[in-house]
């Protein structure tokens, strides 16, 4: 009765533990990394500037979380770090993998993989298979693939999970939060054959497109020289006290089944700090509704626990206050209880033993049988002979065992002996048979890889001008296996595509200097002009708006009656008259050289060689008569476009061109809810746009993303060639 009630109520206790764990799922632990802890995202140089890596906010706001959308751009771990990791794996006989992830529902994705030495070869990979609800460890030994699956892991459900994978010695264990989900005994230490030379370790990158990880990854680490207990303790897991509370020992007078629930957190505990709420009113309303339902469930659990306490009292009355039970370790399996060191048969070929409250199982090893045709009894694993009369009198010694009848899988071996009929009737068999087994049979055949059909050409990367089109093919028809050759050739082809030329609107060039006045006194006219050539309108672009010439009155003063009336001096040079009717000319005007009477144009571009910005030592100065002007700054530069007349102006008004930074200059085309990231002066394009946290889209257009899954709440109207994450 006691055991039955404990089994019946244990489910209620575990349900209460899971509920309290769910309530506390935002706690985190910010312990610092030790020397033997490797942050795989950090040593792979994965950051916000990594192409194809989108930055998100995870459970720990101090550590970035990433979603990968371009897996061909994921960088591998640094080679020097990989060598140290492989060395530690061999020294520690395995490793511990810790990660926080949110995997897309029903998806299959690689968490960690070691690739090499060949291009398509892999040494091992850990895959979360949401379709089969398993965590698969796949490794290759001597060219043969082996796969071990942990079942009912519940990782691919679009919820944040803090998992710890232990692969040390013969153990392959999975912990989600503080709970051991499943475990397996490894048959061969594959980690002893890992190689770092010409190998690459990737995070989230699968061997084929279907195996890329779909979801968010945060704080993925490889841990060495640390026990699994210490790793879980650093995550906030504490040893449950429920076992000690409910232990039956010799001093127990009343058996108390403690209804207290200890909370074991699933995840890491961060330091508490004030933050602004980033949840919408609709989300908060849904949360309060769920909490109301949770309160009802907790109340029902409290009632059930009260009933357990009452039934516990009844059991104590049945046992009696004068009876004591010896303190002992027990094991539970399939609703049955077994004492310490007790053994039982699970199925015909598996024997289990209870050791310190842990169940240890192993396959039964069959002894050799003393007959040629042994028989199998239903419910028994080993073959038996139909008779037991086996005397050694008259028999020769047994011969050596024959070779196993198979080279893989399970087979048989035989040995024989002869009878000396002159000495004895020789009772017993003359042939013995026993089972033998090797590694599992691999039914695959060697085959070379073959290319699939080319995909259709992609759309042109631009809508006007010259762009690119791309098509790809995969080496999967068939996939190379058993040492088969890889596909020869390229898996990607790119060609240029040319659209209609992009329209170019016209822009005015600088004004030319004013011309000389038509008269020296009495009022004249001067003019200046400009050209629509910076740039000229092309391919349907709009022409410049405005006049090409300007006129202005000049020399409005009355003309004196003196020797200068005949304009003996060069236009612009000062004329000085004297009482005797003589005259003299002053210096030539700015931009000219001469004696005042005869003046020639001064070439400021030659006199001051650095007056204008040079590109590849090419002069960009234009001399005019008189004066000069500089051409506009070259593409991807910004700056002044000086012009003027004379040597002094050329020396003081030099052209300065600086590289453009659209992000800094606010000339980018990113959405107001997106962040402009400058990629470099010689990059094409020079910048990229990424929607900020809480928004999703292609960067040019961003929409609200309330659940932070990388997809907007509503469909966005993005460009035809950039539609990624524009669908809700």
């Amino acid at each position: 009765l006691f055991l039955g009630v404990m089994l019946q109520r244990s489910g209620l206790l575990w349900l209460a533990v899971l509920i309290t764990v769910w309530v506390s799922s935002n706690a985190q632990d910010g312990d610092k990394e030790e020397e033997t802890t490797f942050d795989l995202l950090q040593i792979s140089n994965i950051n916000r500037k990594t192409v194809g890596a989108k930055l998100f906010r995870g459970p720990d706001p101090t550590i970035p979380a990433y979603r990968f959308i371009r897996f061909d751009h994921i960088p591998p771990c640094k080679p020097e770090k990989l060598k140290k990791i492989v060395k530690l794996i061999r020294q520690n006989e395995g490793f511990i993998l810790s990660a926080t992830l949110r995997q897309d529902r029903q998806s299959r994705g690689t968490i960690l993989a070691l690739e090499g030495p060949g291009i398509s070869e892999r040494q091992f990979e850990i895959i979360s298979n949401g379709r089969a609800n398993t965590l698969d460890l796949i490794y290759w030994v001597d060219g043969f693939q082996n796969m071990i699956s942990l079942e009912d892991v519940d990782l691919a459900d679009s919820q944040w999970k803090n998992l710890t994978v232990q692969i040390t010695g013969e153990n392959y264990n999975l912990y989600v939060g503080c709970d051991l989900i499943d475990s397996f005994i490894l048959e061969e230490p594959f980690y002893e054959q890992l190689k770092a030379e010409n190998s690459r370790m990737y995070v989230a990158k699968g061997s084929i497109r279907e195996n890329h990880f779909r979801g968010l990854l945060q704080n993925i680490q490889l841990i060495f020289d640390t026990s699994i207990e210490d790793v879980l303790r650093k995550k906030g897991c504490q040893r449950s006290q429920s076992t000690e509370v409910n232990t039956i020992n010799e001093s127990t007078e009343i058996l108390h089944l403690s209804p207290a629930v200890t909370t074991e957190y699933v995840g890491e505990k961060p330091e508490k700090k004030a933050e602004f709420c980033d949840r919408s009113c609709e989300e908060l309303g849904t949360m309060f509704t769920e909490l109301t339902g949770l309160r009802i469930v907790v109340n029902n659990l409290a009632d059930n626990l009260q009933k357990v306490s009452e039934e516990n009292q009844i059991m104590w009355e049945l046992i009696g206050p004068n009876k004591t039970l010896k303190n002992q370790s027990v094991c539970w399996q399939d609703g049955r209880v077994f004492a310490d060191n007790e053994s039982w048969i699970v199925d015909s070929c598996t024997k289990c033993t209870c050791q310190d409250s842990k169940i240890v199982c192993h396959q039964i090893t069959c002894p050799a049988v003393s007959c040629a045709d042994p028989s199998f009894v239903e419910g028994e694993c080993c073959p038996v002979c139909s008779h037991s009369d086996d005397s050694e009198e008259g028999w020769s010694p047994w011969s050596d065992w024959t070779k196993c009848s198979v080279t893989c899988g399970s087979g048989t071996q035989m040995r024989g002996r002869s009878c000396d009929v002159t000495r004895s009737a020789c009772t017993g068999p003359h042939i013995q048979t026993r089972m033998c087994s090797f590694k599992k049979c691999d039914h695959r055949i060697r085959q070379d890889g073959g290319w699939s059909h080319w995909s259709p050409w992609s759309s042109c990367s631009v809508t006007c001008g010259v762009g690119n089109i791309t098509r790809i093919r995969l080496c999967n028809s068939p996939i190379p296996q058993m040492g088969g050759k890889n596909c020869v050739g390229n898996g990607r082809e790119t060609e240029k595509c040319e659209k209609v030329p992009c329209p170019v609107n016209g822009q005015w060039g600088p004004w030319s200097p004013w011309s000389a006045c038509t008269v020296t006194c009495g009022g004249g006219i001067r003019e200046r002009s400009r050209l629509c050539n910076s740039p000229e309108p092309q391919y349907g672009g709009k022409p410049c708006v405005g006049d090409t010439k300007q006129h202005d009155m000049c020399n409005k003063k009355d003309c004196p009656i003196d020797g200068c009336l005949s304009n003996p001096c060069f236009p612009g040079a000062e004329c000085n008259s004297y009482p005797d009717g003589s005259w003299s000319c002053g210096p030539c005007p700015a931009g000219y050289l001469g004696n005042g009477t005869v003046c020639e144009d001064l070439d400021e571009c030659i006199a001051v060689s650095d007056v204008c910005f040079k590109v590849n030592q090419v002069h960009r100065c234009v001399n005019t008569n008189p004066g000069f002007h500089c051409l506009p700054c070259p593409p991807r530069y910004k700056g002044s476009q000086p012009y003027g007349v004379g040597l002094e102006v050329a020396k003081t008004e030099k052209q300065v061109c600086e590289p453009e930074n659209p992000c800094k200059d606010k000339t980018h085309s990113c959405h107001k809810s997106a962040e402009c990231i400058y990629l470099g002066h010689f990059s094409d394009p020079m910048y990229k746009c990424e929607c900020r946290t809480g928004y999703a889209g292609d960067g040019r257009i961003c929409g609200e993303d309330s659940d932070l899954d990388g997809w907007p709440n509503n469909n966005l109207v993005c460009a035809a060639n950039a539609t990624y994450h524009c669908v809700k």
Side-chain angles (χ1 to χ4, degrees), residues 23 269 433 502 504 567 582 653:
V23 172
K269 303 176 183 176
T433 304
C502 298
V504 178
N567 296 325
S582 62
E653 301 292 332

Side-chain angles (χ1 to χ4, degrees), residues 472-509:
I472 62 173
R473 59 179 178 176
L474 302 176
C475 186
N476 62 358
S477 298
I479 298 176
Q481 65 180 18
M482 300 295 294
K485 297 180 181 179
N486 292 322
C487 299
V488 178
N490 296 324
R492 178 186 296 269
E493 284 188 353
T494 302
E495 292 186 1
K496 290 186 177 181
C497 56
E498 187 171 354
K499 297 288 187 177
V500 296
C502 298
V504 178
N505 296 331
Q507 297 288 338
W508 287 113

Side-chain angles (χ1 to χ4, degrees), residues 96-163:
I96 295 177
L97 173 67
S98 175
T100 303
L101 57 83
R102 190 179 80 177
Q103 187 176 358
D104 292 350
R105 194 179 303 276
Q106 296 295 315
S107 65
R108 171 185 171 94
T110 299
I111 300 176
L112 180 66
L114 180 60
E115 180 182 281
I119 298 177
S120 61
E121 297 179 6
R122 291 219 160 188
Q123 300 184 45
F124 82 89
E125 57 186 346
I126 299 176
I127 299 177
S128 175
N129 189 346
R131 301 163 191 163
N133 198 17
T134 60
L135 183 68
D136 301 334
L137 169 63
I138 303 176
Y139 60 90
W140 285 259
V141 177
D142 297 330
F144 293 95
Q145 176 180 311
N146 301 270
M147 184 175 74
I148 300 174
S149 299
L150 301 182
E151 300 179 346
D152 299 329
V153 296
D154 295 331
L155 295 180
D157 58 359
S158 296
Q159 301 293 327
W160 281 106
K161 299 294 176 69
N162 186 287
L163 61 88

Side-chain angles (χ1 to χ4, degrees), residues 489-674:
N490 296 324
R492 178 186 296 269
E493 284 188 353
T494 302
E495 292 186 1
K496 290 186 177 181
C497 56
E498 187 171 354
K499 297 288 187 177
V500 296
C502 298
V504 178
N505 296 331
Q507 297 288 338
W508 287 113
W511 285 103
S512 67
W514 287 104
S515 65
C517 192
T518 56
V519 296
T520 58
C521 61
I525 296 177
R526 62 177 182 174
E527 69 176 15
R528 65 177 181 176
S529 61
R530 59 180 178 177
L531 299 175
C532 185
N533 62 354
S534 297
E536 295 180 356
Q538 300 181 60
Y539 311 117
K542 298 179 181 179
C544 301
V545 178
D547 298 326
T548 59
K549 292 185 178 182
Q550 279 187 348
H551 297 85
D552 187 33
M553 292 290 293
C554 57
N555 295 340
K556 298 178 182 179
K557 62 182 180 180
D558 296 332
C559 296
I561 302 175
D562 55 16
C564 293
L565 290 176
S566 60
N567 296 325
C569 300
F570 186 82
E574 183 180 2
C575 180
N576 299 313
S577 63
Y578 301 98
D580 59 355
S582 62
W583 51 271
S584 65
C585 296
C588 292
Y592 291 92
L593 293 175
N595 58 8
T597 303
V598 178
C599 298
E600 296 179 353
D601 176 57
L602 169 65
D603 192 342
E604 293 88 345
C605 296
I606 297 177
V608 183
S609 60
D610 61 343
V611 64
C612 297
F613 184 76
K614 293 183 179 180
V615 177
N616 298 327
Q617 301 302 320
V618 176
H619 216 291
R620 299 176 60 82
C621 180
V622 178
N623 183 62
T624 58
N625 188 8
F628 72 97
H629 69 269
C630 295
L631 296 177
C633 289
R636 298 199 175 195
Y637 287 86
K638 64 175 183 177
S640 61
Q641 190 178 355
Y643 65 92
V645 177
L647 193 61
E648 291 299 321
V649 175
K651 290 181 178 180
T652 58
E653 301 292 332
K654 294 183 179 180
Q655 185 180 30
V656 178
C657 295
E658 298 178 347
E660 291 183 349
N661 185 342
C663 295
K664 181 179 179 181
D665 302 336
K666 305 298 183 182
T667 58
H668 59 80
S669 59
C670 297
H671 192 265
K672 64 180 181 179
S673 298

Side-chain angles (χ1 to χ4, degrees), residues 334-376:
D334 298 332
R336 299 168 59 194
V337 62
F338 299 93
D340 194 31
N341 295 325
E342 182 179 355
S343 299
W344 66 96
I345 304 299
V346 177
D347 52 40
S348 60
C349 288
T350 304
K351 183 179 181 180
C352 296
T353 305
C354 180
Q355 296 180 359
D356 298 329
S357 300
K358 296 182 179 178
I359 299 175
V360 179
C361 298
H362 61 273
Q363 289 186 344
I364 296 176
T365 302
C366 296
V369 294
S370 302
C371 56
D373 298 318
S375 60
F376 288 87

Side-chain angles (χ1 to χ4, degrees), residues 138-333:
I138 303 176
Y139 60 90
W140 285 259
V141 177
D142 297 330
F144 293 95
Q145 176 180 311
N146 301 270
M147 184 175 74
I148 300 174
S149 299
L150 301 182
E151 300 179 346
D152 299 329
V153 296
D154 295 331
L155 295 180
D157 58 359
S158 296
Q159 301 293 327
W160 281 106
K161 299 294 176 69
N162 186 287
L163 61 88
T164 306
V165 180
Q166 177 192 16
I167 302 178
T168 54
E170 298 180 349
N171 299 316
Y172 174 33
N173 301 327
L174 169 65
Y175 296 83
V176 175
C178 302
D179 297 327
L180 175 62
I181 302 303
D182 198 2
S183 61
F184 198 89
I185 302 299
L186 299 176
E187 296 181 357
E188 49 189 342
F190 72 93
Y191 41 77
E192 295 180 353
Q193 303 185 30
L194 299 183
K195 300 177 181 178
E197 193 70 25
N198 297 325
S199 298
R200 301 158 298 280
M201 180 171 284
Y202 289 100
V203 172
K205 182 178 180 180
S207 58
I208 58 177
R209 180 179 181 182
E210 289 74 12
N211 285 351
H212 296 329
F213 185 83
R214 312 292 180 180
L216 301 178
L217 281 174
Q218 181 185 43
N219 198 25
I220 178 168
Q221 300 176 340
L222 281 179
I223 303 172
F224 302 96
D225 294 335
T226 307
S227 65
I228 186 65
E229 292 79 8
D230 291 340
V231 173
L232 295 176
R233 188 179 301 112
K234 289 181 181 179
K235 292 187 176 184
C237 301
Q238 297 180 357
R239 184 177 180 182
S240 176
Q241 301 298 324
S242 59
T243 303
E244 299 178 3
V245 172
N246 296 328
T247 300
I248 305 173
N249 52 47
E250 295 180 355
S251 61
T252 303
E253 295 182 357
I254 301 177
L255 179 63
H256 294 281
L257 295 179
S258 173
V261 177
T262 59
T263 299
E264 297 188 27
Y265 161 74
V266 180
E268 299 182 350
K269 303 176 183 176
E271 296 180 0
K272 294 183 178 179
K273 53 185 178 181
E275 296 182 356
F276 290 99
C277 179
D278 58 352
R279 302 291 183 181
S280 66
C281 293
E282 181 180 0
E283 289 180 310
L284 292 175
T286 303
M287 187 181 302
F288 283 120
T289 302
E290 293 177 353
L291 289 176
T292 301
L294 180 61
R295 180 169 58 86
I296 296 174
V297 174
V298 173
N299 290 338
N300 292 336
L301 287 174
D303 294 340
N304 291 333
L305 291 176
Q306 180 64 29
K307 293 179 181 179
V308 172
S309 299
E310 294 174 357
E311 294 176 359
N312 181 27
Q313 180 66 23
I314 296 174
M315 286 191 295
W316 172 75
E317 293 175 355
L318 293 175
I319 296 173
N322 298 324
K323 298 181 179 181
T324 60
L325 296 175
K326 184 178 180 180
N327 184 20
Q328 57 182 350
S329 299
V330 295
C331 299
W332 300 85
Q333 188 180 58

Side-chain angles (χ1 to χ4, degrees), residues 405-438:
S405 60
V406 295
T407 58
C408 64
S410 297
T412 58
Q413 288 177 290
M414 302 178 67
R415 68 178 181 177
R417 60 183 178 178
S418 59
C419 174
D420 185 359
V421 295
T422 62
R423 295 175 51 196
S424 173
C426 297
T427 59
H430 65 281
I431 294 177
Q432 281 188 342
T433 304
R434 70 177 182 183
M435 295 183 65
C436 56
S437 61
F438 291 92

